[in-house]
Amino acid sequence: MMQVCLNGSRGAADGARVPMSPGAMADSAADAVLAGATDVHVHPKSPCGQDTLSPRAVSATLTEIRSRVSVPVGVTTGAWAEPDPVLRLEHVRGWTVLPDHASVNWHEPGAEELAALLIELGVGVEAGVWSGTDGAARFAASALAPRVLRVLAEVTDTDPDTAEDTAHTLLADLGGSPHGRPVLLHGEDGGTWPVLRLAGRLGLATRIGLEDTLSLPTGERAVSNAELVRAGLAQTRPFQGRGELRDQPPPDPQTKTHTPGGAHSSNKIHSSTPFP
């Protein structure tokens, strides 16, 4: 599995290549899926370009992207988008269009309650477990852990010389595949490409996109998410056929995954990658 992370918390200061409007996110997602991405992660934006959990913004973003692609689409629920755990729950309860999955950072206040609500709504949960936090220990002790869609193992070490070692430590803290759930391993900024290559060697799902890095493996600036996806697949292709890159464990039967209504329209883009 190769997920594309379209924009993250980046903004206009990071350049025009970062998609900020629902339409731009949809265009970028469509190009990335044509390049081989099999899943989309996006941060809906407010009119002033800030991450938001607003039902209106989430609805507009998901509707636009789903009009262009037929792969699963997920959103962030990061505390920076709404620091108050109670208000965060209110926003999610107000969503009129549901994502296929949403990331929940397990070290953040209110993570358990938020994950429980998402599962109740039928939204798959990506359990975000960051290096350098107590997220792995919290997740290991969680009664919800067996019910998440997958673990999003996030290496926050941005040093390309040490990020891979940090990733190994994080995976050890998680105990491999915790509670039998699939693991998606990724890095950020300078650690992006070393961690992506490690994920390939270990047969783990991974992701790439302008949220995680603005640069190609060569150090050149990437012009689009699609270019990053092509580069990411080229980096992992030698390891194709290992583990979750091809064969993820099935979701827990207790975890309902939201499926967008209606038949696939003819203008939607399907992934052309050999990965699942």
Side-chain angles (χ1 to χ4, degrees):
M1 171 186 165
M2 180 65 74
Q3 183 181 84
V4 61
C5 46
L6 296 177
N7 53 4
S9 300
R10 299 191 191 276
D14 294 298
R17 64 181 63 81
V18 179
M20 299 293 288
S21 69
M25 294 176 206
D27 288 343
S28 188
D31 290 344
V33 170
L34 277 176
T38 55
D39 192 283
V40 175
H41 172 79
V42 66
H43 290 211
K45 300 290 184 180
S46 70
C48 60
Q50 301 299 309
D51 284 5
T52 180
L53 306 182
S54 155
R56 179 178 295 183
V58 171
S59 174
T61 299
L62 292 174
T63 299
E64 284 281 353
I65 293 175
R66 284 179 174 151
S67 74
R68 301 291 305 280
V69 306
S70 296
V71 302
V73 183
V75 300
T76 185
T77 65
W80 57 87
E82 175 48 71
D84 186 325
V86 175
L87 291 179
R88 204 178 315 146
L89 292 173
E90 289 184 11
H91 280 310
V92 172
R93 287 193 188 98
W95 287 353
T96 56
V97 178
L98 296 176
D100 295 285
H101 51 77
S103 59
V104 176
N105 298 320
W106 230 259
H107 65 281
E108 293 178 347
E112 294 270 342
E113 294 82 1
L114 179 55
L117 173 60
L118 289 165
I119 291 171
E120 178 184 336
L121 293 172
V123 177
V125 171
E126 290 186 308
V129 178
W130 294 17
S131 63
T133 72
D134 63 353
R138 287 174 177 263
F139 182 72
S142 173
L144 296 175
R147 302 179 63 191
V148 306
L149 177 67
R150 58 178 159 257
V151 175
L152 198 61
E154 306 198 31
V155 179
T156 59
D157 182 351
T158 60
D159 187 332
D161 295 326
T162 59
E164 185 175 324
D165 288 340
T166 302
H168 279 294
T169 299
L170 176 59
L171 292 174
D173 290 343
L174 284 167
S177 181
H179 300 279
R181 309 319 301 143
V183 174
L184 186 157
L185 176 67
H186 76 98
E188 60 184 49
D189 293 328
T192 299
W193 293 109
V195 174
L196 181 142
R197 287 189 288 269
L198 175 63
R201 292 197 301 274
L202 296 177
L204 296 175
T206 190
R207 78 179 201 185
I208 194 66
L210 293 168
E211 171 175 354
D212 286 348
T213 183
L214 300 175
S215 301
L216 296 167
T218 59
E220 298 173 279
R221 295 276 285 191
V223 299
S224 66
N225 278 303
E227 186 177 32
L228 286 169
V229 168
R230 285 190 289 270
L233 289 170
Q235 296 280 306
T236 58
R237 189 164 288 120
F239 313 106
Q240 182 181 336
R242 297 186 186 180
E244 293 166 26
L245 281 174
R246 289 191 60 85
D247 187 19
Q248 294 192 63
D252 189 280
Q254 297 182 72
T255 303
K256 298 183 294 180
T257 301
H258 171 72
T259 302
H264 295 317
S265 60
S266 59
N267 65 334
K268 289 185 179 179
I269 305 299
H270 301 261
S271 175
S272 60
T273 178
F275 295 95

